[in-house]
Amino acid sequence: MAGRSLRQHLSGAGLKRAALLLLSVAALSACTSVPDGVTPVSPFELDRYLGRWYEIARLDHSFERGLSDVTADYRLQADGSVEVVNRGYDGKKAEWREAVGRAVFLGERDVGSLKVSFFGPFYGGYHIADLDQPGYRWALVTGPDRDYLWILARTPELPAEVRERLVSKASALGFDTSKLIWVEHKPLDVSAPARASAH
């Protein structure tokens, strides 16, 4: 009787662990998934995407809240991953903040769908929903759901017609574009030392 009870207990504990593992895997998968209705661009050429991008607009989220002059630099690493360096200026504290992460493709390298980590094993989706294919001069990027959206460009400003096109595309994809924050880029001392941040 005691042996059977012990086996039942162990079996129950094993099932609980398995269930927790499955839930954890599902949660991590959801963090990198592509939002319904969004198709990442293809063909995509990583080599042309590397380098500096300026954040033109974003939906608000805690790890960039209050930042202006935001840039993202992408550098190819020896292992095929991409180093991601996000940097922005915190006007209230009069200091630069920086976060360094790592991005890898979710699938084929000719599809603009990656996952990015700034916190060890925890990844978030990075999906390029629209891209200036001829010149790689601007991009519309989503996260794993409709709470995350960025408009990026190779320069601190975008022509009005391009901005309107990207906002219309985002709206058609179901994003609340009325909540977009248009990022200010002003002349600052870009040589100022960056402050590491846990974003």
Side-chain angles (χ1 to χ4, degrees):
M1 197 69 170
R4 181 182 174 192
S5 177
L6 178 60
R7 283 195 301 273
Q8 286 176 334
H9 172 75
L10 290 174
S11 176
L15 286 174
K16 285 179 184 176
R17 281 195 299 273
L20 285 173
L21 178 61
L22 286 173
L23 285 173
S24 298
V25 169
L28 288 174
S29 175
C31 288
T32 59
S33 60
V34 182
D36 290 341
V38 173
T39 302
V41 297
S42 180
F44 173 74
E45 298 176 57
L46 176 62
D47 288 346
R48 299 183 65 194
Y49 197 80
L50 298 174
R52 171 157 295 187
W53 291 86
Y54 293 85
E55 186 178 274
I56 304 300
R58 67 173 180 262
L59 288 180
D60 190 32
H61 47 76
S62 60
F63 49 92
E64 279 188 279
R65 189 158 294 149
L67 297 186
S68 66
D69 303 274
V70 180
T71 57
D73 288 281
Y74 303 99
R75 303 183 186 99
L76 186 64
Q77 302 299 292
D79 64 357
S81 67
V82 177
E83 180 189 59
V84 181
V85 180
N86 288 344
R87 190 168 187 249
Y89 188 72
D90 186 334
K92 287 186 178 179
K93 295 184 178 179
E95 63 186 15
W96 289 94
R97 289 169 52 187
E98 182 176 282
V100 180
R102 176 178 182 269
V104 294
F105 281 92
L106 278 172
E108 298 298 322
R109 294 179 69 88
D110 64 345
V111 178
S113 185
L114 300 94
K115 59 180 182 178
V116 183
S117 174
F118 292 95
F119 309 102
F122 303 104
Y123 282 86
Y126 182 102
H127 312 292
I128 303 163
D130 202 358
L131 178 66
D132 171 33
Q133 294 281 33
Y136 280 59
R137 294 168 298 181
W138 47 258
L140 181 69
V141 179
T142 77
D145 56 41
R146 285 175 172 77
D147 290 332
Y148 299 93
L149 182 73
W150 295 269
I151 294 175
L152 307 178
R154 293 297 193 180
T155 57
E157 294 183 0
L158 267 180
E161 63 271 17
V162 177
R163 286 171 52 145
E164 290 170 12
R165 171 196 164 150
L166 293 174
V167 170
S168 294
K169 174 73 178 274
S171 180
L173 290 172
F175 290 87
D176 185 354
T177 55
S178 69
K179 294 183 178 179
L180 279 173
I181 295 170
W182 295 93
V183 181
E184 182 181 7
H185 288 273
K186 53 189 179 294
L188 290 170
D189 180 8
V190 294
S191 64
R195 171 182 176 272
S197 169
H199 270 15

